[in-house]
Amino acid sequence: MKLHEYQAKGIFADAGLPVPDSRLASTVEETVEAADAVGYPVAVKAQVQVGGRGKAGGIELVDNAEEARAAAESILGMDLKGLHVDRVLVEEAVDFVNELYVGVTMDRTEGEPVAMVSTQGGVNIEEVAAETPEAIAREHVDPALGLQPYEARRVVFDAGVDREVATDVSRVLTTLYDLWAEKDATEIEVNPVMVTGDGEVVCADAVMNIDDDALFRHPDLAEMEEEAAGDELEAKANEYGFDYVRLSGNVGIIGNGAGLVMATLDLVDYFGGQPANFLDIGGGAKAERVTNALDMVFSDENVDSVVFNIFGGITRGDEVAKGINEALEAFDEIPKPVVVRLAGTNAAEGMEILNTDLVTVEKTLEDAVERAVSYAEDNE
Ligand code: GDP
Ligand code: MN
C-alpha cells in the first residue's frame, strides 16, 4: 500500500520530522484559500501516486493568488501518467541550496534493512542510481538494534553531506528508520530533503509504502488505504479481499493461487496476447467470490475476453463449476467471452456441469489461454 504524499507527511509531522506547512485542496477556490493561508510563495503539488510529478507538470511554484488559481486550474483534473488528479497539496515553498536523497528500504540480497543518503537528490535520482551508484551511500541496519546514531552519522558523512547540516540530516535518517520499522513500511523515501541557505533541513517530498500483510496491526494506516487506492478497480479488489494488479493488456485473468495466475499471465504473453490484470481469488470458489471476480474483470473497459483458470485442490472442481454457472446466470448478458479451464480434484465432474451456453470450456491450460487470446483479438 502506497501512501499519498500528504498522508506520509502527516505521519512525518507526528514523528517530529521537519515538513513544510501545507494544506490539501480539491477545488480551485480551495487551492487559492490554502495558498493565501500558507503564505506565498507556495508549491502546488498533484497528489497522485507516481514519481516524477515535477517533470510531468504536476508541480508548480507560485507567488500570488492569481498564479495559484492558474496552477490549480491546470493541475486539478489533469491526467498525470494515467492517473486523474483530484487533489493538490498546497505547500510553503522552500528556498533550497541543496537537494539530498534519503531513504530506508529492505535490501533483499543482504536480508537486512538499508539506510541510504545521497547529495545528488532531486528529480534525477533514478539516473544517479543507474549511472553512478557510488553516489548513494549505504548503511545496513541490524533490525534488532535499529539504526544507531553513529551509523546514521557515518552514512551521512560517507555521502558527503555538509558538516553544518550533518547532525540534522542524521536525525532525519534515524527518525525515518524508526518510522520504517514501527509502521511496517517496505520503503520510505524522501527525495528531496532540502537544505536551505540558513542550514535548515526540510523533508520536501515523501514516499511511504506499507507492507499490506502488516496492515492488520495498523488500523490507522488501513483506514488511509481506501483513500490511497487511486485505482477504482484496486479499491474494489481491496473490498472483495482479492489480490489484484491492473496491467495494460486486454485479456482478463482470474485464477485461484498466485502461482497459477502468474503462469496464466505468462501463457497469455506466450500466445501473443496481453494480460489485462492479475487477479487471485484465493482458496474456495463460492458463487459470490466468482461473481465478484467477474464483476471486476467485466467492469474493466480494457478487457476483451476472460480466461478463468482454476486448479481444484481442497476446493473441488464441481463446486467451482457450480459457482461459475451461478455467477454467470446472474448476468442478463455475458459482456465478454469467458473461457474456463478446470483441473485437479473433480475436474471432469466440473467440466460436465459447466453451462457451455455461457462459457467456453477447454481441457488444457494452453488451449484455454490460446482461445481467450484469439477471442480478445476478435473483440478488439
Ligand atoms: P516528484 O517530482 O514527484 O518527486 O515531486 P517532488 O516533491 O520531489 O518535487 C520535484 C521537484 O520540484 C523538487 O526536486 C524541486 O526541485 C521542486 N520543488 C518541489 N517543492 C518545491 C519547493 O517548495 N520549492 C522549490 N524551490 N522547489 C520545489
Ligand atoms: Mn520527489
Side-chain angles (χ1 to χ4, degrees), residues 223-272:
E223 234 169 69
M224 293 180 182
E225 180 163 34
E226 204 163 298
E227 265 184 88
D231 187 300
E232 225 169 87
L233 279 176
E234 289 184 2
K236 215 172 211 180
N238 282 337
E239 197 183 302
Y240 291 150
F242 293 151
D243 283 326
Y244 173 86
V245 180
R246 186 202 277 278
L247 301 167
S248 55
N250 63 345
V251 180
I253 295 169
I254 304 172
N256 64 336
L260 197 67
V261 177
M262 291 296 282
T264 315
L265 261 134
D266 284 348
L267 267 183
V268 167
D269 179 74
Y270 176 81
F271 284 113

Side-chain angles (χ1 to χ4, degrees), residues 76-103:
L76 283 168
M78 84 187 285
D79 181 273
L80 207 100
K81 299 185 177 178
L83 293 176
H84 182 83
V85 180
D86 55 11
R87 284 172 302 176
V88 290
L89 189 67
V90 180
E91 187 172 78
E92 183 190 351
V94 182
D95 189 14
F96 63 90
V97 290
N98 277 317
E99 293 186 294
L100 312 177
Y101 167 92
V102 175

Side-chain angles (χ1 to χ4, degrees), residues 101 103-107 112-116 177 180 186-188:
Y101 167 92
V104 179
T105 188
M106 181 59 84
D107 182 339
E112 272 183 335
V114 61
M116 295 170 289
Y177 179 84
W180 183 87
T186 53
E187 184 188 26
I188 295 186

Side-chain angles (χ1 to χ4, degrees), residues 310-361:
I310 297 288
F311 190 89
I314 296 169
T315 312
R316 292 171 4 222
D318 51 326
E319 277 176 20
V320 177
K322 275 187 211 148
I324 292 175
N325 284 348
E326 224 180 294
L328 285 171
E329 279 154 12
F331 286 94
D332 291 335
E333 194 189 338
I334 312 294
K336 292 153 192 186
V338 180
V339 184
V340 180
R341 174 263 190 173
L342 276 178
T345 315
N346 288 9
E349 288 85 339
M351 284 193 277
E352 285 288 308
I353 291 170
L354 278 169
N355 181 345
T356 48
D357 292 338
L358 303 177
V359 296
T360 307
V361 181

Side-chain angles (χ1 to χ4, degrees), residues 184-318:
D184 286 307
T186 53
E187 184 188 26
I188 295 186
E189 195 183 88
V190 185
N191 182 35
V193 167
M194 290 180 172
V195 180
T196 70
D198 304 336
E200 228 188 304
V201 170
V202 182
C203 297
D205 192 9
V207 170
M208 197 164 171
N209 276 312
I210 310 291
D211 182 351
D212 288 329
D213 292 324
L215 276 180
F216 72 95
R217 47 184 186 194
H218 302 285
D220 52 330
L221 297 177
E223 234 169 69
M224 293 180 182
E225 180 163 34
E226 204 163 298
E227 265 184 88
D231 187 300
E232 225 169 87
L233 279 176
E234 289 184 2
K236 215 172 211 180
N238 282 337
E239 197 183 302
Y240 291 150
F242 293 151
D243 283 326
Y244 173 86
V245 180
R246 186 202 277 278
L247 301 167
S248 55
N250 63 345
V251 180
I253 295 169
I254 304 172
N256 64 336
L260 197 67
V261 177
M262 291 296 282
T264 315
L265 261 134
D266 284 348
L267 267 183
V268 167
D269 179 74
Y270 176 81
F271 284 113
Q274 291 195 319
N277 65 274
F278 172 101
L279 174 53
D280 173 13
I281 63 171
K286 292 256 155 54
E288 194 196 342
R289 281 185 89 73
V290 176
T291 309
N292 291 345
L294 286 169
D295 173 41
M296 288 208 46
V297 287
F298 285 163
S299 58
D300 181 345
E301 300 164 358
N302 298 327
V303 168
D304 290 320
S305 73
V306 178
V307 56
F308 216 117
N309 184 14
I310 297 288
F311 190 89
I314 296 169
T315 312
R316 292 171 4 222
D318 51 326

Side-chain angles (χ1 to χ4, degrees), residues 5 9 20 41-48 50-56 58-61 80-81 91-96 99 121-126 189-194 202 204-207:
E5 178 189 12
K9 279 183 171 164
V42 300
V44 179
K45 310 178 77 177
Q47 295 301 287
V48 283
V50 286
R53 292 164 303 165
K55 280 187 176 172
I59 297 179
E60 285 188 36
L61 288 170
L80 207 100
K81 299 185 177 178
E91 187 172 78
E92 183 190 351
V94 182
D95 189 14
F96 63 90
E99 293 186 294
V123 293
N124 294 320
I125 192 69
E126 273 82 16
E189 195 183 88
V190 185
N191 182 35
V193 167
M194 290 180 172
V202 182
D205 192 9
V207 170

